[in-house]
Structure formats: C-alpha cells, structure tokens
Amino acid sequence: MSMVLFKREWKSNYKIFLIFIAIMTLYESIIVAMYDPKLGESLNMMAESMPQLFAAFGMTDPGLTLLDFLTNYLYGFILIIIPLVYIMIMCHRLMARYIDKGSMAYLLATPHKRSDIFITQLCVLLSGVIGLIVYSVVLILGCSSMMFHESIDIAKFLMTNVGLLGVHFFFASFCYLTACSFNEVKLSIGIGAGVGVISILIQMLSQVSDKIEFLKYFTPLTLFDAKGLQVYDQQSLLCMAGLFALAVICIVIGCMNFSKRDLPL
C-alpha cells in the first residue's frame, strides 16, 4: 500500500465525501425528527391507503419504538441507496477513469506493484464507506438523544449497522472488481452500478406483492435482515457473514485480474 497515493486520493476526493455527509445529515435528521409514537396510527392509515408504495420502500410498519421506526424508514432504502451512489462515483474516480483514459501508466510508473496500487485505491474506497456508516451512527444517536427521552438499544443498533456495512462492503468490492476488469467505463462502472440498482429494484418489487415475493432471492440485499440482526437471529448473522465473505472473494478476484491483465497505457 502506498500512503502517498492514499493521501493524494483522499485530498482529491474529500469534497465528494463531504457532499454525501451533508446529504445523509439532511435525510437522517429529518427522519429522526419525524418520530412520534403517537403518529404510528396515522402512518398505518397512510400505509393502508397506499400499501404498494409503502411496501416497495419497506415502510409498512412504523413500529413501536424509535429503533423500529429508524429500521423501517432509514435502513430499508435511504441508507442503502445513498452509500451505493457514493460507491459508484468513487469506483469511477479511483480506478475506472484511470484505465479508460490510459493514465494508469502514471501510477504504474511508481515503484509500487500493481497489487499495491489495487489495495491502496481499495482502501480509499472502503475507508470512505466506513466513514459514511460511522458518521450515520453518530448522527442518529446524537439526534435521538437531543430530540427524545427514549433511548436506542445501542447493541441492537450497532449490530444493524454492522449488517449495513456488510451490504456496502459487498457492493463496493463488486463495483471495484468490475472497474478493474474492463477498459471502457460503460462496462467497468455500468455492470457494477447496474447490479446495485437492479438489486434495489428487485427488492422493492418483491415487497409489493406476495405473488412476486420470490424475487427477493435474486438480490444480495436479502442477506441483510436488520430486524433479524437486532434479535441476533442465527440465520441473519450467517447471512451477514456471507456478505463479508462475498466481498473478500470479489477483492481477491479483482486483485488477480488487475495484476495480470493487459491495460491500455
């Protein structure tokens, strides 16, 4: 790993990170502020009037506690899509654009192996993802403590976010794998981003009707069961471990591809 390259990439991309921090601050603070146990009945009435729309976004049950509310309204869609968009952008900036423009030669001209460059760019990507999730945790806990007397079960909340991290580690490693495997951006980013977006759409469709619920088995998002993780369900824990394992597999394959393939220099 090259610390010089790591610092340079962060210096070049920190503004993008801050933009996503601002977006998450806006959405999460608004959602937390919306919580009111007395609104549960009203939200249920809205869900009954538009069942398919609420079901698509995983918002059919507001729950009885603050943690239930946040799980339904943040971890079903918002905290999936926002980091995913960040991952798409960063995979392009850290790897795909270098290969597409032929400027990877400048990085390879340094006294570092291809594997070192691969790991360095990957660390920039994953550190950003971790930063977004950690910030999200701190922000939600901070907003909750300031706005409400009700406290969140910290252990359950943290376990939910470990599962969320597993989801985004998988998406990040898969997008990074495709970014390292193709020369043209439309393929290197298009495939990785396409899998992420299609996964979200499939999950939304599977929640709309029992007749197409089977579609959930065609998306890796099924492996993230926030409510199951909160009660330490064994199957949910195994699925979470599976996401991290898939991420490692993608990283290994990506490193092998990047180290051996011919690059347009």
Side-chain angles (χ1 to χ4, degrees):
M1 177 174 171
S2 170
M3 287 305 301
V4 173
L5 179 60
F6 181 87
K7 293 177 181 178
R8 194 195 78 174
E9 292 291 1
W10 258 112
K11 186 176 181 180
S12 300
N13 296 291
Y14 78 92
K15 291 182 180 179
I16 295 175
F17 179 78
L18 293 179
I19 289 172
F20 278 86
I21 286 291
I23 294 172
M24 293 180 74
T25 301
L26 175 64
Y27 277 99
E28 291 179 14
S29 58
I30 290 175
I31 293 296
V32 173
M34 286 174 57
Y35 173 70
D36 184 350
K38 296 179 182 179
L39 288 178
E41 185 176 346
S42 298
L43 290 172
N44 281 329
M45 292 177 62
M46 291 179 62
E48 290 175 0
S49 64
M50 298 179 289
Q52 293 182 331
L53 178 62
F54 273 70
F57 290 93
M59 299 177 180
T60 53
D61 181 16
L64 301 175
T65 66
L66 177 56
L67 180 58
D68 291 337
F69 180 84
L70 295 176
T71 300
N72 286 316
Y73 285 84
L74 281 176
Y75 290 85
F77 181 76
I78 292 176
L79 288 180
I80 298 294
I81 191 66
I82 294 177
L84 178 59
V85 175
Y86 174 81
I87 288 169
M88 296 174 188
I89 294 173
M90 291 305 295
C91 282
H92 173 261
R93 292 181 64 85
L94 293 170
M95 184 60 68
R97 68 171 178 172
Y98 285 117
I99 296 177
D100 182 59
K101 295 180 179 180
S103 55
M104 182 59 70
Y106 295 105
L107 295 181
L108 297 179
T110 62
H112 294 286
K113 299 178 181 178
R114 285 194 181 191
S115 58
D116 292 334
I117 295 173
F118 177 91
I119 293 298
T120 301
Q121 303 296 77
L122 177 65
C123 286
V124 175
L125 173 64
L126 295 183
S127 62
V129 173
I130 293 173
L132 290 179
I133 302 301
V134 171
Y135 175 79
S136 175
V137 170
V138 174
L139 176 65
I140 291 174
L141 290 177
C143 290
S144 301
S145 63
M146 288 188 294
M147 296 178 184
F148 308 105
H149 296 295
E150 179 182 348
S151 60
I152 297 178
D153 189 315
I154 301 297
K156 292 181 178 180
F157 181 63
L158 292 179
M159 182 58 69
T160 301
N161 284 279
V162 173
L164 180 67
L165 191 62
V167 171
H168 290 302
F169 264 34
F170 167 73
F171 280 135
S173 60
F174 183 79
C175 287
Y176 193 66
L177 164 63
T178 59
C180 294
S181 301
F182 300 95
N183 294 337
E184 298 182 7
V185 170
K186 64 181 180 180
L187 294 176
S188 60
I189 297 300
I191 294 176
V195 168
V197 172
I198 290 172
S199 295
I200 292 175
L201 293 176
I202 290 176
Q203 184 191 48
M204 293 173 68
L205 286 173
S206 69
Q207 295 173 151
V208 169
S209 171
D210 292 338
K211 295 181 180 180
I212 54 176
E213 186 180 6
F214 69 92
L215 291 175
K216 68 181 182 180
Y217 298 110
F218 295 93
T219 166
L221 290 174
T222 300
L223 299 177
F224 174 51
D225 181 5
K227 294 183 179 179
L229 291 174
Q230 290 169 10
V231 296
Y232 307 104
D233 175 68
Q234 185 176 4
Q235 183 176 350
S236 299
L237 293 172
L238 289 174
C239 288
M240 179 184 69
L243 285 169
F244 283 105
L246 289 172
V248 172
I249 292 172
C250 289
I251 291 171
V252 172
I253 296 174
C255 187
M256 293 173 60
N257 285 350
F258 184 72
S259 297
K260 296 180 180 180
R261 67 184 293 252
D262 293 330
L263 295 170
L265 304 175

